[in-house]
Amino acid sequence: MANFKCISAAGKTIERVLNAAFTEEQPIDNAHATKAILVRSDDFARDNVDAGDIPARALAVFLYRVEVNRIMRAAWSGVSTYDGQVHLPLDLHFLLVAFADNAEWEQQILGKTLQCLESTPSMSGPVLYPTAEWKAGEAIHLVIEEVPLDSLMRTFDSLAVDYRPCVPYLARVVRLDSTDVEPPPTTSTVIRGMTPVAAG
């Protein structure tokens, strides 16, 4: 079962799949290596771009929203009553943002990204990043998400970065399972100074 690291492991899975595709065929050319990199919102700050946080030629994988999959939640709640475990199905919303020195290269990075993810829309088995301890048969399914332009613009406004070419993807269903945790025993009385008595 996937543990609490399944959210970060999903992002790292997308990152590693894209980097494998970029290694096989560079989006720009071999002299300008492109790298997919999992980023946080602070990495988009204008003074950070090209300063180490996001490489000059890169595909930023940015998780901007996590929500419970309402359709699958009822079914997994039923499973929870049977096995006593919590199963929380999640939808992860990613924004894939291209960075390069000119418009042509940015668009080539996006083109290669789309080609890669549309060729491998389901990621399972050894492709999955191992930190989440995925259960056999689990998979991440990626679909292009329809996000209105005004929503994208508001997202970039909140990131304090100029609008850049990007494509939104939805990763579903990532299931977060609980683990059995034994609570510490409750101590009600502490007796000190007792002398053991030999049986006899």
Side-chain angles (χ1 to χ4, degrees):
M1 60 181 63
N3 58 29
F4 67 92
K5 297 180 182 179
C6 63
I7 298 174
S8 61
K12 294 295 288 184
T13 298
I14 296 171
E15 179 190 69
R16 83 180 338 183
V17 167
L18 287 170
N19 278 324
F22 292 167
T23 299
E24 182 178 344
E25 181 182 14
Q26 281 294 320
I28 302 172
D29 58 53
N30 291 329
H32 299 86
T34 302
K35 182 179 180 182
I37 180 171
L38 193 65
V39 301
R40 56 187 182 140
S41 57
D42 286 352
D43 296 331
F44 285 105
R46 289 184 176 88
D47 57 349
N48 287 340
V49 176
D50 298 335
D53 293 334
I54 298 180
R57 287 163 290 279
L59 192 283
V61 181
F62 175 55
L63 176 67
Y64 69 96
R65 183 179 173 191
V66 178
E67 64 179 350
V68 175
N69 185 298
R70 297 172 192 241
I71 296 174
M72 297 297 297
R73 186 172 190 179
W76 281 110
S77 293
V79 175
S80 298
T81 61
Y82 174 77
D83 65 8
Q85 299 289 316
V86 172
H87 306 286
L88 187 64
L90 301 173
D91 286 341
L92 308 180
H93 302 260
F94 288 94
L95 201 59
L96 308 183
V97 188
F99 288 84
D101 301 322
N102 57 62
E104 180 185 9
W105 289 359
E106 287 181 343
Q107 292 165 24
Q108 287 178 197
I109 291 173
L110 282 185
K112 184 61 182 177
T113 298
L114 289 166
Q115 182 187 63
C116 170
L117 297 184
E118 290 303 299
S119 299
T120 55
S122 294
M123 303 174 184
S124 61
V127 174
L128 296 173
Y129 202 73
T131 55
E133 299 176 359
W134 305 95
K135 188 176 181 180
E138 285 191 286
I140 298 172
H141 302 284
L142 290 175
V143 294
I144 295 179
E145 186 175 18
E146 292 186 14
V147 179
L149 180 60
D150 59 338
S151 296
L152 281 178
M153 298 300 289
R154 286 197 301 270
T155 300
F156 276 92
D157 287 341
S158 65
L159 292 174
V161 65
D162 294 332
Y163 182 82
R164 304 188 73 91
C166 62
V167 60
Y169 263 90
L170 175 62
R172 61 166 43 153
V173 169
V174 178
R175 198 182 76 236
L176 190 156
D177 297 327
S178 67
T179 56
D180 293 324
V181 178
E182 291 291 335
T186 302
T187 303
S188 57
T189 305
V190 176
I191 301 176
R192 296 183 179 180
M194 298 292 290
T195 303
V197 179

